[in-house]
Amino acid sequence: MRTQRQVVDYSLQKRAVLRDLLASRIGTYDVCDASPYLKNAARFHGEPTEERCPICRSENLIHVHYIYGDELKQSAGQARNRAELSVLAMTLREFQVFVVEVCPGCDWNHLVEQFLLGRDGLAGGAEGGSEQEAVSGSSAPTGSTPRRRREAQR
């Protein structure tokens, strides 16, 4: 995605969990514990991948994208597909996306990555926001005055 930024990749953590599983330090029931809500989100909003499940090796993993942000209000915490994420990225200032991989067969699930999306990531939006913060200072209260200044600059 074009405005994706502040990406956190959890692949090292996933490798550590799988290593602990292979060394029998943790059991399969500890890692294959997807909730019914997560499994339904994977079924209806998930995106299939070509990657096989590291536990059962019989099913392909599904990625589920959960969104969080102040502007989302009641929609925060919902699962969305990639097409909806692109539309939201152009309409909202900023929101956070968490990508979870799920195996529909054995219920393996793990956080894959998280990142920010939104208009603030565009070249003009990021510069304007940084300049505004530098002018108003970080100790200024977050009221309606900085928002009015940003709208006046547009």
Side-chain angles (χ1 to χ4, degrees):
M1 297 202 168
R2 204 173 85 187
T3 60
Q4 186 174 344
R5 60 196 181 279
Q6 295 184 5
V7 178
V8 179
D9 187 346
Y10 292 95
S11 59
L12 291 176
Q13 187 179 19
K14 176 182 172 181
R15 286 174 45 191
V17 168
L18 292 172
R19 185 174 45 244
D20 287 346
L21 182 66
L22 289 174
S24 298
R25 288 189 281 269
I26 57 175
T28 309
Y29 292 112
D30 295 327
V31 295
C32 294
D33 59 351
S35 72
Y37 296 113
L38 179 57
K39 292 191 291 187
N40 280 337
R43 186 178 311 127
F44 296 111
H45 303 286
E47 297 183 1
T49 65
E50 296 299 318
E51 185 180 353
R52 287 283 188 188
C53 174
I55 306 300
C56 68
R57 299 193 195 316
S58 63
E59 302 259 352
N60 287 351
L61 294 172
I62 298 173
H63 284 176
V64 182
H65 300 82
Y66 285 100
I67 57 172
Y68 293 91
D70 293 336
E71 286 183 278
L72 293 168
K73 305 216 186 313
Q74 298 93 333
S75 298
Q78 292 182 351
R80 300 292 176 104
N81 59 33
R82 274 202 179 273
E84 293 173 311
L85 291 179
S86 341
V87 171
L88 287 171
M90 292 301 141
T91 57
L92 299 174
R93 285 186 47 233
E94 183 175 87
F95 62 98
Q96 195 160 15
V97 179
F98 292 87
V99 183
V100 179
E101 66 182 15
V102 182
C103 175
C106 70
D107 295 345
W108 157 264
N109 63 95
H110 196 274
L111 180 63
V112 177
E113 70 178 346
Q114 75 181 58
F115 52 88
L116 288 177
L117 284 178
R119 287 190 327 246
D120 284 353
L122 298 174
E127 292 172 7
S130 300
E131 289 173 9
Q132 180 61 35
E133 290 172 11
V135 170
S136 65
S138 60
S139 62
T142 57
S144 60
T145 307
R147 183 182 300 148
R148 287 186 200 142
R149 288 183 193 156
R150 271 192 220 121
E151 290 173 358
Q153 288 175 352
R154 292 182 189 162

